[in-house]
Amino acid sequence: MTAIEVRELRRTYTSRTGWLRPRRVETEAVRGVSFDVGEGELFGLLGPNGAGKTTTIKMLNTLLLPTSGTARVLGHDVARDPVAVRRRIGYVFGGDRGLYERLSALDNLRYFAELYGVEPREQKARIAELLELVGLDGRERERVEGYSRGMRQRLHIARGLLHRPDVLFLDEPSIGVDPVAARDLRRTVADLKAAGTTVLLTTHYMAEADELCDRIAVIAGGAIRALGTPDELKSRIRERDVVELEAYGADEAALERLRRLPGVRGVAAEERGAAQAVTVQTDRGADVHGQVLASLDGIRVGRVVTREPTLEDAYIAIVEDADAPARPVAREVTA
């Protein structure tokens, strides 16, 4: 059975700019997105900032109305029957919002249990069950203000599960969480999927998506650019090698020189403290080490390694190869 069905979903925002001569500008945040999520599936929605991930999730959980297109959750239309959708879903988002810090975790869950309409006779057992699930049993009487970021995120998940939702939306749940807490969160999410909960996950951590997701959709510029299992997405760049090097002070001009080298298929750089992790995707078997180092002449280079492509490399290639820029499309509207 299909838990989530999305067909040509669009969302356009209208804003006004200017003072003396105000203009209306329409921004297409989501442009004709379509996908299905099976019942009991853990589905990943990946994309760069501003790609339309959170807007899509907010339409699916009835926080935003679609401009056009349709979306159904467990057979209920999100625009025509939002109350029925809300009864069947849970929503967990990253960050510190959504909890009362001066209350204990126990009191937070009691409060939200009332809001979610959990029967009073079921609340005690349900809260105890969830505290154990997310690993907060024994700490439930402590104020949330003393919790770490990881503990708060696990409490967010417990809150989202109080009413036993059939579908759970996790919007970047591990953002800002340390590696140990992130591992615990992944274990919790995997347990939810094993128990039969349908999960739609957004994340910027590719290793997390590779470990957890049954299938992944990559969204860029408000449109789906690729959809498949992690292995299917990685197979798109199977005929490539990856040269990863540590650089200090590589500017955009240096990266552009790398992109113009014969045999180079893509270049990405990530700041890591004082250094940069520069990833160069090349044709399989292309010997470009000498040319890469020559292009970075004058820039201090540390470790250089060649490795097999990962899901992160596939993701970068998909986003860079997208026909439209990986940002919302805006246009001026005449009155």
Side-chain angles (χ1 to χ4, degrees):
M1 178 180 174
T2 301
I4 301 173
E5 181 182 326
V6 180
R7 294 291 179 271
E8 289 297 320
L9 200 62
R10 295 177 180 270
R11 173 68 189 193
T12 302
Y13 294 96
T14 303
S15 59
R16 286 185 174 273
T17 62
W19 180 57
L20 291 175
R21 295 182 178 179
R23 297 173 300 153
R24 278 199 313 139
V25 176
E26 286 188 350
T27 302
E28 290 185 292
V30 176
R31 302 187 294 131
V33 166
S34 298
F35 60 86
D36 293 326
V37 180
E39 193 170 6
E41 184 177 17
L42 205 162
F43 186 88
L45 186 62
L46 309 183
N49 291 330
K53 302 186 303 297
T54 297
T55 299
T56 299
I57 281 189
K58 286 185 174 180
M59 286 190 284
L60 295 180
N61 62 30
T62 76
L63 293 179
L64 285 175
L65 280 173
T67 302
S68 65
T70 61
R72 293 180 176 274
V73 178
L74 297 168
H76 300 285
D77 190 285
V78 298
R80 298 176 182 174
D81 200 1
V83 175
V85 172
R86 291 169 190 163
R87 290 190 181 120
R88 307 287 297 276
I89 66 171
Y91 179 37
V92 177
F93 46 86
D96 293 327
R97 298 170 298 160
L99 298 171
Y100 292 94
E101 294 200 345
R102 300 191 67 182
L103 296 180
S104 68
L106 184 59
D107 287 337
N108 266 276
L109 293 179
R110 285 170 175 165
Y111 172 74
F112 285 109
E114 291 289 338
L115 286 185
Y116 292 155
V118 179
E119 290 291 334
R121 64 179 178 273
E122 297 179 4
Q123 289 183 15
K124 184 176 180 179
R126 181 60 177 160
I127 289 172
E129 176 187 345
L130 290 173
L131 288 168
E132 182 178 359
L133 173 69
V134 300
L136 291 177
D137 48 328
R139 307 286 301 272
E140 68 272 15
R141 297 190 182 276
E142 298 177 22
R143 284 187 177 185
V144 172
E145 62 187 357
Y147 275 17
S148 67
R149 175 67 67 87
M151 293 171 68
R152 292 178 190 220
Q153 287 302 94
R154 283 183 275 155
L155 184 58
H156 272 299
I157 292 176
R159 185 205 67 191
L161 292 170
L162 278 166
H163 56 305
R164 302 181 189 274
D166 297 303
V167 177
L168 182 65
F169 295 94
L170 297 177
D171 194 4
E172 299 186 29
S174 54
I175 187 170
V177 172
D178 66 82
V180 174
R183 180 195 61 195
D184 293 339
L185 280 172
R186 289 195 298 273
R187 187 182 300 120
T188 300
V189 173
D191 289 343
L192 292 175
K193 193 259 182 183
T197 303
T198 303
V199 180
L200 194 155
L201 169 75
T202 74
T203 180
H204 283 297
Y205 302 115
M206 297 300 116
E208 181 174 85
D210 198 2
E211 176 184 342
L212 292 174
C213 295
D214 298 312
R215 287 188 305 138
I216 292 170
V218 178
I219 184 172
I224 299 293
R225 304 298 179 177
L227 195 156
T229 67
D231 285 342
E232 287 171 344
L233 296 188
K234 284 184 278 189
S235 72
R236 296 166 68 106
I237 56 170
R238 186 169 290 154
E239 298 305 316
R240 299 187 187 184
D241 287 326
V242 177
V243 178
E244 189 173 80
L245 55 90
E246 186 179 60
Y248 297 82
D251 56 15
E252 186 56 37
L255 298 179
E256 190 57 37
R257 288 198 298 273
L258 291 176
R259 293 187 181 100
R260 291 198 297 265
L261 290 176
V264 169
R265 302 289 295 277
V267 176
E270 178 185 352
E271 300 292 335
R272 293 182 182 173
Q276 296 160 290
V278 179
T279 303
V280 183
Q281 294 187 22
T282 71
D283 292 329
R284 177 60 59 93
D287 186 7
V288 298
H289 282 72
Q291 299 173 67
V292 166
L293 294 177
S295 295
L296 297 175
D297 186 38
I299 296 169
R300 186 158 66 95
V301 175
R303 179 178 57 91
V304 180
V305 296
T306 301
R307 58 170 175 78
E308 290 289 320
T310 64
L311 180 62
E312 182 171 353
D313 300 317
Y315 164 82
I316 291 171
I318 291 165
V319 171
E320 288 185 343
D321 291 346
D323 294 331
R327 59 180 181 272
V329 178
R331 63 173 180 271
E332 185 175 345
V333 180
T334 57

